[in-house]
Amino acid sequence: MNAGVVHTPTQRKSRFDLIKRTLYKERQLWLISIPMIIWVAIFCYLPMYGIIIAFMNYFPGKPILGSEWVGFLHFKTFFHSPDFWHVLRNTLAISGLGIVFGFTAPIVLALLLNELRGRIFKRFVQTVSYLPHFISWVVVASILFATLGNEGFVNDMLMRLGFIDKPIAFLGEGKYFWGVLTTTNIWKDVGWSTIIYLSAIAGVDSELFDAGKVDGLGRFGMVWHIILPSIRPTIVLLFILGIGGILNAGFEQQLLIGNSQTREYHEVIDTYAYKYGIQLGNYSYGAAIGLLKGVISLVLVLTANRISKKALDTSII
């Protein structure tokens, strides 16, 4: 049996020389990247030592290593919590709706914008679709209350037109919350996400379009047989990353738009961890929930990447 590959000193020296030549050749890129590498190391990797409190009973003011070790107690507590299933349901439902509708909306918008021939009108539509991305969720929440509140514009118009006799509690009933949140998320981010797909479409070889015209393809045929296959790697990569964020169902949105009447539908993992970990001071419990979420997200990314690599020969790793 082959116990492993043994590299001779000559082979190791050759690999080391190759690495040195590569680093020297790319020295300018590495120099430019040094500030970002330092930033990531300080703010993303250095704080990760605090993950250990997920396995302890940590209290602020005490040394972390001096806290009581409890193992997987906080994870078990979360799994046996009466809120676990409805928090998980809300997280998966909101994220699932975001992937189904929020992931496809930028692709559709990019394809439609690509078909526009008027340059001024095209830029106007792009600008209008990008703007909501830069609006904070505090302002978006205010817009929603002014629009969909009991005394908001929508209810006022529906009552004036005689479609309803009393206001509809769009923001006060849980059954409307998922739809309102999904629509708002799409409105806020669709234009920004479209930038990537427009860039991918701009990179499609123009000779393919010429060949399509020769073959008699119409506009729909160009989209179906040329554009979509050409930008498939971009779509797949973003979908894999989206799968990894399936447990990121939002945080600010739920805190700002949700209320006690919609708690059964708006409470997600992030807001649950914030409530018990920060507001109630149970930092170890909140850290355990966050760590569990991160591990699951990593597994989902690796699984989706492996499936994509085998099925479509496209991966991010």
Side-chain angles (χ1 to χ4, degrees):
M1 295 178 61
N2 186 6
V5 178
V6 178
H7 295 285
T8 64
T10 304
Q11 291 175 323
R12 286 196 294 268
K13 186 176 184 302
S14 177
R15 291 185 61 187
F16 181 71
D17 291 339
L18 177 61
I19 293 173
K20 284 177 58 178
R21 288 196 301 269
T22 303
L23 290 176
Y24 181 78
K25 183 179 179 181
E26 300 174 350
R27 61 188 183 281
Q28 294 178 340
L29 292 177
W30 283 105
L31 287 174
I32 295 174
S33 303
I34 285 176
M36 183 56 64
I37 293 174
I38 295 174
W39 184 90
V40 170
I42 294 175
F43 292 100
C44 296
Y45 284 94
L46 187 61
M48 287 182 68
Y49 81 95
I51 289 176
I52 195 174
I53 70 173
F55 305 94
M56 297 177 170
N57 270 334
Y58 171 74
F59 296 97
K62 292 183 61 178
I64 292 180
L65 298 180
S67 301
E68 178 189 3
W69 185 269
V70 296
F72 292 96
L73 175 63
H74 299 301
F75 298 92
K76 294 178 181 178
T77 302
F78 179 54
F79 287 136
H80 291 93
S81 169
D83 295 324
F84 172 74
W85 287 111
H86 96 258
V87 167
L88 182 62
R89 180 204 65 177
N90 295 342
T91 303
L92 294 178
I94 294 173
S95 298
L97 289 171
I99 290 177
V100 172
F101 298 103
F103 181 78
T104 56
I107 300 175
V108 174
L109 180 59
L111 295 174
L112 293 175
L113 287 174
N114 185 62
E115 297 300 314
L116 292 178
R117 293 293 174 261
R119 182 174 299 180
I120 296 178
F121 181 68
K122 182 178 181 178
R123 289 180 178 177
F124 173 77
V125 174
Q126 285 179 292
T127 303
V128 171
S129 64
Y130 297 162
L131 284 178
H133 177 77
F134 301 99
I135 302 176
S136 72
W137 273 107
V138 176
V139 177
V140 173
S142 300
I143 295 174
L144 284 177
F145 283 116
T147 306
L148 299 178
N150 288 344
E151 298 180 358
F153 172 76
V154 173
N155 275 313
D156 183 60
M157 289 299 298
L158 291 176
M159 292 181 68
R160 286 176 181 272
L161 294 173
F163 291 109
I164 57 175
D165 297 325
K166 60 180 181 178
I168 300 175
F170 292 108
L171 302 177
E173 293 187 27
K175 63 182 181 180
Y176 299 115
F177 188 84
W178 291 351
V180 171
L181 186 61
T182 301
T183 304
T184 306
N185 282 329
I186 293 174
W187 168 77
K188 193 173 187 302
D189 294 326
V190 65
W192 184 256
S193 301
T194 301
I195 297 175
I196 300 176
Y197 296 108
L198 286 174
S199 301
I201 293 173
V204 178
D205 192 349
S206 59
E207 293 183 359
L208 295 176
F209 294 106
D210 295 335
K213 291 179 181 178
V214 173
D215 292 338
L217 292 178
R219 296 310 307 171
F220 181 79
M222 294 284 192
V223 170
W224 187 258
H225 295 287
I226 296 178
I227 295 179
L228 286 178
S230 298
I231 67 173
R232 187 182 67 178
T234 302
I235 296 175
V236 172
L237 294 181
L238 293 179
F239 181 76
I240 293 173
L241 295 176
I243 290 295
I246 196 170
L247 296 183
N248 295 325
F251 177 72
E252 294 175 308
Q253 306 95 303
Q254 283 80 356
L255 291 181
L256 292 170
I257 304 173
N259 51 60
S260 58
Q261 285 78 22
T262 62
R263 180 182 178 275
E264 187 179 352
Y265 290 86
H266 84 250
E267 189 84 281
V268 294
I269 291 178
D270 286 332
T271 57
Y272 184 82
Y274 170 76
K275 176 181 177 181
Y276 285 90
I278 304 298
Q279 290 184 329
L280 299 181
N282 196 343
Y283 297 100
S284 294
Y285 187 55
I289 297 173
L291 177 58
L292 178 65
K293 173 190 164 186
V295 171
I296 294 175
S297 298
L298 176 61
V299 172
L300 289 174
V301 167
L302 295 177
T303 302
N305 182 77
R306 188 176 182 85
I307 294 174
S308 173
K309 190 172 184 178
K310 286 188 174 182
L312 303 173
D313 197 25
T314 302
S315 65
I316 59 176
I317 301 176

